Amino acid sequence: MDNQFLYGLGSRVELLGALAMWLVIFLRLPTARHSRQQQMLLIAVMGVAGSITVYLDPVTAALNRTFTFAQSCGLFMNEWGVLGSALILDFVLAAVSRRRPWLIYGSMIVTMATLLVLNFTTAPHAGCVTSISVPWYSPFWWILIAAHLVGTIPCVVLCVRYARQAKGDRSLRVGLLLFAAGFTSSSVFWSVVLAFLLYRPAWLGALFPLNIGVTAWLMTAGAALPLVLRVHQMARNIIALWRLRLLWSELTEAVPHVTLNRPRPVIREVLGSPHSIYLRLYRRVIEIRDALLILQDYVTPETVDVARRHVTAQALPEKQIEPTITACWLEIARQAKAKGASPQPNPLASKHPSGHGLRSETDFLLDVVRARKLPSLRLFALSQTVPHATVPGRYDHKSSAPTKE
């Protein structure tokens, strides 16, 4: 693997990583409007994205053709990098409630001005500072490298610190570790720059684009994680809506007054924004639950005891026992109501625990849907007579809606 191939590979990784970063930033903008922390984080990511973008060969060429200032052998990129580091450091201090914008951005202006002066005074014969014309011990290099490391290293420490504290939230922990890896990769880049200035190996210079590309992809992954989780949750809600459709249809046909809106076409049910799909699922769970509360008055406690013995004899997983019992007595209740049986108040307390959210309620109902397909459930329904009384169940008369998570 020669240096030219390594440089070309790194350039492609760098270009795709920069494009992915800007795409994720664009997609994250609407969700960051209502959160100051999210805004600060996104601004910090923008600073990194801008620093990476100006190092892309097509962008560098366009800048050199357009701006006289940019022709100073990468001065524009270096100045932008200092700005990006200031944005990152501002985010770090804001996260620990010690924000000092005047100190940060005042130091940034002084640093940028110093680099500008050094660029035109350190190597006047060369026209600007380059790794060829100016040795490693020049203040220009040390100020430039220090400016970047002062921004990235604290961010690594902060992300790792909070990731260790977020043990109960796996997605948050993964996102913070991805950001920590991205800022670490950025810090490594400037360490590689220093090593290149000291020893000048050609293969090390060929690694620059690849290192920047890895940084871009790590930062993209960290910033995109909330979007991925949001899409995943939306997909789960759509699947749940689809799988609950038949159960909802049968129950609301038996108890039509629990429905709030008229039924929609199937395709329209699963189309819409994440929030609208969530609300439809929430409404559907409420309507199924209300129907169960009514139908449980059409079976007797004795029927439920028989159902419990029937289900426990099948050696099902513990998680599936209560949903299967519910599926058993539900069939009997539907038959009883269809035959005009009179409901009787349920004298037994409900076993439904309080504090459950939409996800747990949805999972329970999906388990009921799966249980209704068991052959043993059909045999149980055929073996029972139509009851006229109540049944204890998972659902509570006192609450007709699952709590939001």
Side-chain angles (χ1 to χ4, degrees), residues 303-325:
T303 301
V304 179
D305 289 337
V306 174
R308 185 172 297 278
R309 291 195 297 270
H310 173 77
V311 171
T312 53
Q314 300 179 42
L316 294 173
E318 185 176 354
K319 178 177 179 290
Q320 191 64 32
I321 291 177
E322 288 299 328
T324 307
I325 293 172

Side-chain angles (χ1 to χ4, degrees), residues 185-198:
S185 179
S186 179
S187 302
V188 169
F189 171 78
W190 290 102
S191 301
V192 171
V193 169
L194 180 59
F196 179 79
L197 291 171
L198 291 171

Side-chain angles (χ1 to χ4, degrees), residues 235-248 265-270 281 284 366 369:
R236 283 190 58 174
N237 290 345
I238 290 174
I239 293 171
L241 266 174
W242 181 267
R243 291 179 177 174
L244 292 175
R245 178 173 48 91
L246 182 58
L247 176 63
W248 174 84
V266 176
I267 299 299
R268 288 188 61 190
E269 284 287 340
V270 296
L281 177 61
R284 177 154 295 181
L366 290 174
V369 171

Side-chain angles (χ1 to χ4, degrees), residues 282-290 293 352-358 361 395-404:
Y282 186 72
R283 185 68 239 172
R284 177 154 295 181
V285 169
I286 291 175
E287 292 173 354
I288 292 175
R289 181 172 168 178
D290 287 345
L293 286 169
H352 173 64
S354 61
H356 278 222
L358 178 63
E361 295 290 350
Y395 293 85
D396 187 2
H397 285 284
K398 297 181 180 179
S399 173
S400 63
T403 56
K404 293 187 179 179

